Amino acid sequence: MLSFFPTPYPDEILYSVFARYHARSGNIKPDETLQELFNSRNIIVRPDLPYNLSYLIKNLPLLSQHTLESLIQKHTLYPMYAVFMPDSKSAILGYMKGELGTYIYRGIASSVYLPKYFRFCPKCLFENLHTFGEAYWHRLHQTPGVLVCTIHDVVLNDSIVPIWNNQWYQVGIASLENCPISNVTKNYSESTKELLRLIASDIEWLMTCDFKSLPSKELDWFHIQYIVLLIKRNLATLDRQVYEQGLRQKFLSFYGSEFLEALGINVSNNNINLFNIFRLHLEVFDPVMHLLMIRFLRHSPSTFFARKSKYKPFGKGPWLCLNPACEHYLHSVVTKLVMLLSNDLDSTYSYIKNPIGTFECDCGFQYSKIGVNLTKVDKFRFERIVTFGQLWEQKYLELNVVDRLNFQQAAYNLSFNYSKSPMTMLRKLEALWKSLNDSVEKDAG
Amino acid sequence: MNIENEWEWVKIPNGEWAAVAKYRDHKLSEYNTNPIIRSLPPIFSREKFVEYVTRLPTCKSSERELEPQYRFHCIERLSRYFDPLNKTVDLQQVVCVLIMQGYLRRNPLQPEYALRSGQIYQAVLSGGGFNLEEYVDVPTSASGLTIIGPSGIGKTTNLLNILSLYPQVIVHPAHSVYQIVWLKVDCPHAGSLKGLCIDFFRAVDKLLGTNNFQKFGVKRNSEDYMLAQVAQIAHTQHLGVLVIDEMQNLVAARRNSSEMLNFLVKMDNIIGVPVIRVGTNEAFPILQGNFRNARRGVGEGGVIWDRMENNREWNFFIEGMWEFQWTKQYIPLTANITSALYYESQGIIDIVIKLYKMVQWRAIALGSEVITVDLIHACAADGLHLVKPMLDAIRSGDEKWMMKYKDIAPLDTNLYRNKCLDSLEETDLEEVRRLARSSQRMGHISATLRHVIIELINLDVPPATAKSCAEKVVTPHGENADKKVLIKEAYKLALQCGNISTEPVQHQERKIKLQPKYQENDIRVIVENAKKNQTPACEDLKALGIIKDPLKDFFIGE
């Protein structure tokens, strides 16, 4: 049970709050502080995603108004990752709460590159010293992708404190000693500065927006939004193939090499992982790349997250009626399309990888189709006839027993006779219809 | 009345009950920016205080009819009897000011708080508890208080009753901290600082359920380290006032008592936690020994409590106590009884209450159920024989005899006060007062205004005009205007007033040369004359016998 807990300053990283607790408690040994805060002496205090926080909440003084969610949301880097990793979101949150604290090292969070040293804004440093009597590490300044202070519009400096170290209790508090103010500040060109400001403010928006207001997005949602936007700009095809070469060039000319270098992004052809964010089964990803891509696609994060584009592998309707019996044969009259949704299928995302649609014409004829239209004749393609419809059934009922069996055999063969050429399939269908008509006439005759 | 109903209470695990902070606005605005002060109860009026603090035992007339064994229990209620005296009311106001003022510059919302916290931690790291002043340089607003008086007159009781108006622990949900409003620690018997620190850790642990004693109270830890930890805890937990009782234990300390006294001074001077030192008369010499302490103790906030005198207040007190009588027959108070009680107790409250209890027991036990003057004397002779020698000493008024019992040794405050004044050199005192005065006055004049006035005076504007002109110019322009412009404008204004002598005054003064008063055979005259006449001055001086003829020294033998 703690007898006090320092009130976190605005945008203070929890790492720094723990260090302040250590100093005010008078503890000398860090493991004593860890024991008090987390009920465990063997915890590694991470600057980005601290864990065992549910113990901390239990240990707080009575009636303390801190909640687990508000601490994580306001004082860790969690929101930055959370938005882009819906699947693992709950897992990470669980780690931070502390069920399996050490597992946080594995998986997604491990692949995000933090800056090497704690960064600070000299103006913030002096302002904090003046208003609070002490300085602290700002969360936003340690976030990957942020190189300028959004308050003072100043390029951030590197402190002498490595971000990965085991000395949190000593270096967790920023001071004039560990934040030397160098005379040489990096000079970026005006356009780069503008972009740095833009990306920093985007990240700030992500970190501070109420994450409950951002509806949870699944990975396929991101994938679809990117593909839809890329298709619009002719950088991807309907079957989700991205023209990486062209994208690299446009990306480079949009941001400029100075900016990309400052952020440490390699756009050369050697970097095959550059556009990993388009992958459906995302394991390694970079939130900064997401934000850069969003801006590249001419969106702000807020409008991007409000997008509602759906995956339309078969394009817009109406589609062709493929019923030779129908008067609309080969006319675009079909408006009814039924697609299987992600949760109807066994394997994840197969609805994107292998979209299946069932098209139903008013004449009752239904055919199904797998995969997008790639070639010109693809629009005549069908995989299976689901129902022949009433026109066919009427004729069928007029047949004698032998012919019925013959027709059934022929129809069965057609349904499961996958032919590579859509035109052959169509012709077979026409022939079937013709033979049905012929048989009926023969019977009548 | 009970203050407990005015708070919502929560139980700290392994600790005591804590009151949930309710923030109120005090009538004085300077207290309202500090949540730690805002959570304190309001400043009580004298009437309100007396109402709150008085503890009267329940006493129903029907109880007089009970069987003796029950009434013995009733009589025991008198040990919790508390009736505030005039000096209690005074003390309460002093303590209230002490606590609130002490918090004034320990505002967790102000930068000084965090700064001091960091500085104390530096002292902790290097184990510099003795010389906290080397680490901490943030100004504080606390002052101390010393209460000295013979034992049994209710110093501790009064103080604890006053402090009981404050919840001892207040929890601040918005700031996630427990505030310890007051903490009482007895001065350890050996007078060791380590002992004091350990008692402090234990007392805090008992309140908050922490393990400070386990962490910091290990014997092998250095005294220095523990002292720094005490300072840090007091600062972090917003300790309102630290009461050190039984200061007379320091007299028997093996080591020099000044170390502890010094540390206590540092607690209020440097950390800003007010310290109340309580001790019997025996403690007086040691508080006197260290002058700095003495000045702090008695000069600024010192209360010397003595036995009650046989006067109106004594009568009033006895009247109040007399109500609680459980003998079958109620005996009204008479002047004889009052003076008999005074004679036997010599105005020591603890003794008079005990005596009153004994008298009632005796009256009930004897079956007479009547309290008489004789019974009082008889009880005193029986029941007070342990303290009899001391009471006899007091009664005799013989100071030498009283000195034997250090607890009750009389205090010579006059002697003491003179000693204090002597030690403070007069010039020093004047300097201190002058500085205080000027800094007060300067406080009203802004830096810019002062600058302009000084510049104008340099330009030979009379001070009064300079001040009025400067004020006229600076006020509309504001503080941040360019000083040069301000000076120009102000000077223009001053010239228009026409009060400036065009002839520089200083010049005239310089021309006047001092006319020295020459004595007969003045060396200065001789040397000047010699200069005028272009003769060596040494000849004239030799002639007048001011310097010896050097040659003569060599021919002494002739």
Side-chain angles (χ1 to χ4, degrees), chain B residues 168-191:
Chain B
Q168 197 173 4
V169 183
I170 299 177
V171 52
H172 292 261
H175 303 276
S176 297
V177 72
Y178 299 127
Q179 170 189 5
I180 303 179
V181 181
W182 57 272
L183 194 69
K184 180 177 150 307
V185 178
D186 284 351
C187 180
H189 285 285

PDB file of all heavy atoms in Angstrom, chain B residues 168-191:
ATOM      1  N   GLN B 168      -6.261  13.285  12.258  1.00  0.00           N
ATOM      2  CA  GLN B 168      -4.809  13.138  12.208  1.00  0.00           C
ATOM      3  C   GLN B 168      -4.327  12.818  10.792  1.00  0.00           C
ATOM      4  O   GLN B 168      -3.262  13.265  10.384  1.00  0.00           O
ATOM      5  CB  GLN B 168      -4.344  12.048  13.182  1.00  0.00           C
ATOM      6  CG  GLN B 168      -2.865  12.162  13.448  1.00  0.00           C
ATOM      7  CD  GLN B 168      -2.387  11.222  14.535  1.00  0.00           C
ATOM      8  OE1 GLN B 168      -3.145  10.416  15.047  1.00  0.00           O
ATOM      9  NE2 GLN B 168      -1.133  11.337  14.900  1.00  0.00           N
ATOM     10  N   VAL B 169      -5.116  12.058  10.072  1.00  0.00           N
ATOM     11  CA  VAL B 169      -4.750  11.736   8.689  1.00  0.00           C
ATOM     12  C   VAL B 169      -5.899  12.144   7.786  1.00  0.00           C
ATOM     13  O   VAL B 169      -7.052  11.835   8.066  1.00  0.00           O
ATOM     14  CB  VAL B 169      -4.485  10.227   8.521  1.00  0.00           C
ATOM     15  CG1 VAL B 169      -4.046   9.935   7.097  1.00  0.00           C
ATOM     16  CG2 VAL B 169      -3.443   9.752   9.496  1.00  0.00           C
ATOM     17  N   ILE B 170      -5.556  12.862   6.721  1.00  0.00           N
ATOM     18  CA  ILE B 170      -6.565  13.252   5.732  1.00  0.00           C
ATOM     19  C   ILE B 170      -6.142  12.639   4.407  1.00  0.00           C
ATOM     20  O   ILE B 170      -4.979  12.734   4.019  1.00  0.00           O
ATOM     21  CB  ILE B 170      -6.661  14.784   5.594  1.00  0.00           C
ATOM     22  CG1 ILE B 170      -7.072  15.412   6.919  1.00  0.00           C
ATOM     23  CG2 ILE B 170      -7.640  15.164   4.500  1.00  0.00           C
ATOM     24  CD1 ILE B 170      -7.111  16.919   6.895  1.00  0.00           C
ATOM     25  N   VAL B 171      -7.072  12.001   3.728  1.00  0.00           N
ATOM     26  CA  VAL B 171      -6.720  11.437   2.425  1.00  0.00           C
ATOM     27  C   VAL B 171      -7.237  12.366   1.331  1.00  0.00           C
ATOM     28  O   VAL B 171      -8.362  12.839   1.396  1.00  0.00           O
ATOM     29  CB  VAL B 171      -7.253   9.998   2.272  1.00  0.00           C
ATOM     30  CG1 VAL B 171      -8.730   9.914   2.579  1.00  0.00           C
ATOM     31  CG2 VAL B 171      -6.991   9.467   0.878  1.00  0.00           C
ATOM     32  N   HIS B 172      -6.353  12.650   0.377  1.00  0.00           N
ATOM     33  CA  HIS B 172      -6.714  13.534  -0.742  1.00  0.00           C
ATOM     34  C   HIS B 172      -6.900  12.687  -1.993  1.00  0.00           C
ATOM     35  O   HIS B 172      -5.920  12.325  -2.628  1.00  0.00           O
ATOM     36  CB  HIS B 172      -5.616  14.557  -0.981  1.00  0.00           C
ATOM     37  CG  HIS B 172      -5.472  15.550   0.113  1.00  0.00           C
ATOM     38  ND1 HIS B 172      -6.011  16.798   0.054  1.00  0.00           N
ATOM     39  CD2 HIS B 172      -4.861  15.463   1.310  1.00  0.00           C
ATOM     40  CE1 HIS B 172      -5.735  17.450   1.173  1.00  0.00           C
ATOM     41  NE2 HIS B 172      -5.036  16.662   1.950  1.00  0.00           N
ATOM     42  N   PRO B 173      -8.125  12.369  -2.347  1.00  0.00           N
ATOM     43  CA  PRO B 173      -8.316  11.517  -3.524  1.00  0.00           C
ATOM     44  C   PRO B 173      -7.754  12.148  -4.797  1.00  0.00           C
ATOM     45  O   PRO B 173      -7.191  11.462  -5.632  1.00  0.00           O
ATOM     46  CB  PRO B 173      -9.836  11.376  -3.614  1.00  0.00           C
ATOM     47  CG  PRO B 173     -10.337  11.681  -2.255  1.00  0.00           C
ATOM     48  CD  PRO B 173      -9.399  12.690  -1.686  1.00  0.00           C
ATOM     49  N   ALA B 174      -7.863  13.447  -4.912  1.00  0.00           N
ATOM     50  CA  ALA B 174      -7.424  14.083  -6.151  1.00  0.00           C
ATOM     51  C   ALA B 174      -5.908  14.121  -6.265  1.00  0.00           C
ATOM     52  O   ALA B 174      -5.369  14.243  -7.351  1.00  0.00           O
ATOM     53  CB  ALA B 174      -7.988  15.494  -6.234  1.00  0.00           C
ATOM     54  N   HIS B 175      -5.223  14.045  -5.136  1.00  0.00           N
ATOM     55  CA  HIS B 175      -3.762  14.152  -5.182  1.00  0.00           C
ATOM     56  C   HIS B 175      -3.081  12.845  -4.800  1.00  0.00           C
ATOM     57  O   HIS B 175      -1.852  12.795  -4.712  1.00  0.00           O
ATOM     58  CB  HIS B 175      -3.286  15.270  -4.266  1.00  0.00           C
ATOM     59  CG  HIS B 175      -3.903  16.602  -4.586  1.00  0.00           C
ATOM     60  ND1 HIS B 175      -3.406  17.434  -5.554  1.00  0.00           N
ATOM     61  CD2 HIS B 175      -4.993  17.217  -4.094  1.00  0.00           C
ATOM     62  CE1 HIS B 175      -4.161  18.498  -5.646  1.00  0.00           C
ATOM     63  NE2 HIS B 175      -5.142  18.395  -4.775  1.00  0.00           N
ATOM     64  N   SER B 176      -3.875  11.829  -4.521  1.00  0.00           N
ATOM     65  CA  SER B 176      -3.339  10.511  -4.162  1.00  0.00           C
ATOM     66  C   SER B 176      -2.301  10.604  -3.059  1.00  0.00           C
ATOM     67  O   SER B 176      -1.172  10.141  -3.214  1.00  0.00           O
ATOM     68  CB  SER B 176      -2.704   9.829  -5.367  1.00  0.00           C
ATOM     69  OG  SER B 176      -3.657   9.601  -6.326  1.00  0.00           O
ATOM     70  N   VAL B 177      -2.659  11.198  -1.965  1.00  0.00           N
ATOM     71  CA  VAL B 177      -1.689  11.315  -0.880  1.00  0.00           C
ATOM     72  C   VAL B 177      -2.422  11.350   0.455  1.00  0.00           C
ATOM     73  O   VAL B 177      -3.567  11.785   0.535  1.00  0.00           O
ATOM     74  CB  VAL B 177      -0.815  12.581  -1.069  1.00  0.00           C
ATOM     75  CG1 VAL B 177      -1.583  13.842  -0.795  1.00  0.00           C
ATOM     76  CG2 VAL B 177       0.425  12.513  -0.194  1.00  0.00           C
ATOM     77  N   TYR B 178      -1.761  10.811   1.479  1.00  0.00           N
ATOM     78  CA  TYR B 178      -2.272  10.953   2.838  1.00  0.00           C
ATOM     79  C   TYR B 178      -1.550  12.124   3.491  1.00  0.00           C
ATOM     80  O   TYR B 178      -0.334  12.194   3.470  1.00  0.00           O
ATOM     81  CB  TYR B 178      -2.000   9.690   3.662  1.00  0.00           C
ATOM     82  CG  TYR B 178      -2.647   8.445   3.126  1.00  0.00           C
ATOM     83  CD1 TYR B 178      -1.901   7.306   2.891  1.00  0.00           C
ATOM     84  CD2 TYR B 178      -4.007   8.406   2.879  1.00  0.00           C
ATOM     85  CE1 TYR B 178      -2.497   6.152   2.409  1.00  0.00           C
ATOM     86  CE2 TYR B 178      -4.609   7.263   2.392  1.00  0.00           C
ATOM     87  CZ  TYR B 178      -3.855   6.138   2.157  1.00  0.00           C
ATOM     88  OH  TYR B 178      -4.453   5.014   1.672  1.00  0.00           O
ATOM     89  N   GLN B 179      -2.325  13.000   4.056  1.00  0.00           N
ATOM     90  CA  GLN B 179      -1.746  14.144   4.760  1.00  0.00           C
ATOM     91  C   GLN B 179      -1.762  13.828   6.251  1.00  0.00           C
ATOM     92  O   GLN B 179      -2.816  13.500   6.794  1.00  0.00           O
ATOM     93  CB  GLN B 179      -2.586  15.387   4.456  1.00  0.00           C
ATOM     94  CG  GLN B 179      -2.260  16.590   5.296  1.00  0.00           C
ATOM     95  CD  GLN B 179      -3.267  17.706   5.101  1.00  0.00           C
ATOM     96  OE1 GLN B 179      -4.259  17.536   4.392  1.00  0.00           O
ATOM     97  NE2 GLN B 179      -3.030  18.840   5.713  1.00  0.00           N
ATOM     98  N   ILE B 180      -0.611  13.910   6.894  1.00  0.00           N
ATOM     99  CA  ILE B 180      -0.573  13.719   8.339  1.00  0.00           C
ATOM    100  C   ILE B 180      -0.617  15.111   8.960  1.00  0.00           C
ATOM    101  O   ILE B 180       0.316  15.885   8.799  1.00  0.00           O
ATOM    102  CB  ILE B 180       0.702  12.988   8.778  1.00  0.00           C
ATOM    103  CG1 ILE B 180       0.822  11.648   8.059  1.00  0.00           C
ATOM    104  CG2 ILE B 180       0.704  12.775  10.283  1.00  0.00           C
ATOM    105  CD1 ILE B 180       2.067  10.876   8.426  1.00  0.00           C
ATOM    106  N   VAL B 181      -1.702  15.424   9.633  1.00  0.00           N
ATOM    107  CA  VAL B 181      -1.827  16.788  10.135  1.00  0.00           C
ATOM    108  C   VAL B 181      -0.927  16.996  11.347  1.00  0.00           C
ATOM    109  O   VAL B 181      -0.292  18.026  11.481  1.00  0.00           O
ATOM    110  CB  VAL B 181      -3.292  17.111  10.471  1.00  0.00           C
ATOM    111  CG1 VAL B 181      -3.421  18.527  10.977  1.00  0.00           C
ATOM    112  CG2 VAL B 181      -4.158  16.918   9.249  1.00  0.00           C
ATOM    113  N   TRP B 182      -0.879  16.008  12.222  1.00  0.00           N
ATOM    114  CA  TRP B 182       0.012  16.177  13.374  1.00  0.00           C
ATOM    115  C   TRP B 182       0.561  14.828  13.787  1.00  0.00           C
ATOM    116  O   TRP B 182      -0.044  13.788  13.529  1.00  0.00           O
ATOM    117  CB  TRP B 182      -0.701  16.848  14.534  1.00  0.00           C
ATOM    118  CG  TRP B 182      -1.936  16.144  14.999  1.00  0.00           C
ATOM    119  CD1 TRP B 182      -3.197  16.330  14.518  1.00  0.00           C
ATOM    120  CD2 TRP B 182      -2.045  15.152  16.018  1.00  0.00           C
ATOM    121  NE1 TRP B 182      -4.079  15.513  15.166  1.00  0.00           N
ATOM    122  CE2 TRP B 182      -3.400  14.777  16.102  1.00  0.00           C
ATOM    123  CE3 TRP B 182      -1.131  14.543  16.876  1.00  0.00           C
ATOM    124  CZ2 TRP B 182      -3.865  13.827  16.995  1.00  0.00           C
ATOM    125  CZ3 TRP B 182      -1.589  13.593  17.780  1.00  0.00           C
ATOM    126  CH2 TRP B 182      -2.953  13.251  17.833  1.00  0.00           C
ATOM    127  N   LEU B 183       1.713  14.865  14.419  1.00  0.00           N
ATOM    128  CA  LEU B 183       2.357  13.635  14.841  1.00  0.00           C
ATOM    129  C   LEU B 183       3.073  13.938  16.150  1.00  0.00           C
ATOM    130  O   LEU B 183       3.774  14.939  16.265  1.00  0.00           O
ATOM    131  CB  LEU B 183       3.361  13.184  13.780  1.00  0.00           C
ATOM    132  CG  LEU B 183       3.866  11.764  13.918  1.00  0.00           C
ATOM    133  CD1 LEU B 183       2.744  10.787  13.619  1.00  0.00           C
ATOM    134  CD2 LEU B 183       5.003  11.516  12.947  1.00  0.00           C
ATOM    135  N   LYS B 184       2.841  13.073  17.140  1.00  0.00           N
ATOM    136  CA  LYS B 184       3.491  13.296  18.432  1.00  0.00           C
ATOM    137  C   LYS B 184       4.478  12.170  18.683  1.00  0.00           C
ATOM    138  O   LYS B 184       4.148  11.002  18.543  1.00  0.00           O
ATOM    139  CB  LYS B 184       2.449  13.333  19.533  1.00  0.00           C
ATOM    140  CG  LYS B 184       3.028  13.554  20.907  1.00  0.00           C
ATOM    141  CD  LYS B 184       1.914  13.647  21.905  1.00  0.00           C
ATOM    142  CE  LYS B 184       2.266  13.179  23.289  1.00  0.00           C
ATOM    143  NZ  LYS B 184       2.839  11.882  23.474  1.00  0.00           N
ATOM    144  N   VAL B 185       5.686  12.573  18.995  1.00  0.00           N
ATOM    145  CA  VAL B 185       6.735  11.604  19.282  1.00  0.00           C
ATOM    146  C   VAL B 185       7.364  12.001  20.610  1.00  0.00           C
ATOM    147  O   VAL B 185       7.595  13.185  20.858  1.00  0.00           O
ATOM    148  CB  VAL B 185       7.811  11.621  18.175  1.00  0.00           C
ATOM    149  CG1 VAL B 185       8.918  10.655  18.498  1.00  0.00           C
ATOM    150  CG2 VAL B 185       7.208  11.293  16.831  1.00  0.00           C
ATOM    151  N   ASP B 186       7.616  11.010  21.460  1.00  0.00           N
ATOM    152  CA  ASP B 186       8.291  11.333  22.715  1.00  0.00           C
ATOM    153  C   ASP B 186       9.788  11.347  22.488  1.00  0.00           C
ATOM    154  O   ASP B 186      10.325  10.503  21.778  1.00  0.00           O
ATOM    155  CB  ASP B 186       7.946  10.293  23.784  1.00  0.00           C
ATOM    156  CG  ASP B 186       6.560  10.515  24.329  1.00  0.00           C
ATOM    157  OD1 ASP B 186       5.970  11.560  23.992  1.00  0.00           O
ATOM    158  OD2 ASP B 186       6.061   9.647  25.062  1.00  0.00           O
ATOM    159  N   CYS B 187      10.436  12.310  23.106  1.00  0.00           N
ATOM    160  CA  CYS B 187      11.893  12.371  23.014  1.00  0.00           C
ATOM    161  C   CYS B 187      12.453  11.118  23.685  1.00  0.00           C
ATOM    162  O   CYS B 187      12.073  10.793  24.804  1.00  0.00           O
ATOM    163  CB  CYS B 187      12.369  13.624  23.716  1.00  0.00           C
ATOM    164  SG  CYS B 187      14.121  13.826  23.674  1.00  0.00           S
ATOM    165  N   PRO B 188      13.311  10.372  22.990  1.00  0.00           N
ATOM    166  CA  PRO B 188      13.792   9.121  23.562  1.00  0.00           C
ATOM    167  C   PRO B 188      14.597   9.364  24.848  1.00  0.00           C
ATOM    168  O   PRO B 188      15.164  10.439  25.041  1.00  0.00           O
ATOM    169  CB  PRO B 188      14.670   8.529  22.466  1.00  0.00           C
ATOM    170  CG  PRO B 188      14.947   9.644  21.545  1.00  0.00           C
ATOM    171  CD  PRO B 188      13.841  10.622  21.662  1.00  0.00           C
ATOM    172  N   HIS B 189      14.643   8.340  25.707  1.00  0.00           N
ATOM    173  CA  HIS B 189      15.247   8.525  27.025  1.00  0.00           C
ATOM    174  C   HIS B 189      16.723   8.830  26.949  1.00  0.00           C
ATOM    175  O   HIS B 189      17.231   9.653  27.675  1.00  0.00           O
ATOM    176  CB  HIS B 189      15.003   7.279  27.886  1.00  0.00           C
ATOM    177  CG  HIS B 189      13.603   7.226  28.361  1.00  0.00           C
ATOM    178  ND1 HIS B 189      13.138   8.036  29.370  1.00  0.00           N
ATOM    179  CD2 HIS B 189      12.544   6.519  27.933  1.00  0.00           C
ATOM    180  CE1 HIS B 189      11.859   7.810  29.563  1.00  0.00           C
ATOM    181  NE2 HIS B 189      11.466   6.889  28.697  1.00  0.00           N
ATOM    182  N   ALA B 190      17.405   8.151  26.028  1.00  0.00           N
ATOM    183  CA  ALA B 190      18.832   8.412  25.931  1.00  0.00           C
ATOM    184  C   ALA B 190      19.096   9.691  25.154  1.00  0.00           C
ATOM    185  O   ALA B 190      20.231  10.122  25.033  1.00  0.00           O
ATOM    186  CB  ALA B 190      19.517   7.230  25.259  1.00  0.00           C
ATOM    187  N   GLY B 191      18.050  10.273  24.627  1.00  0.00           N
ATOM    188  CA  GLY B 191      18.221  11.494  23.864  1.00  0.00           C
ATOM    189  C   GLY B 191      18.900  11.269  22.541  1.00  0.00           C
ATOM    190  O   GLY B 191      19.452  12.197  21.955  1.00  0.00           O
TER     191      GLY B 191
END
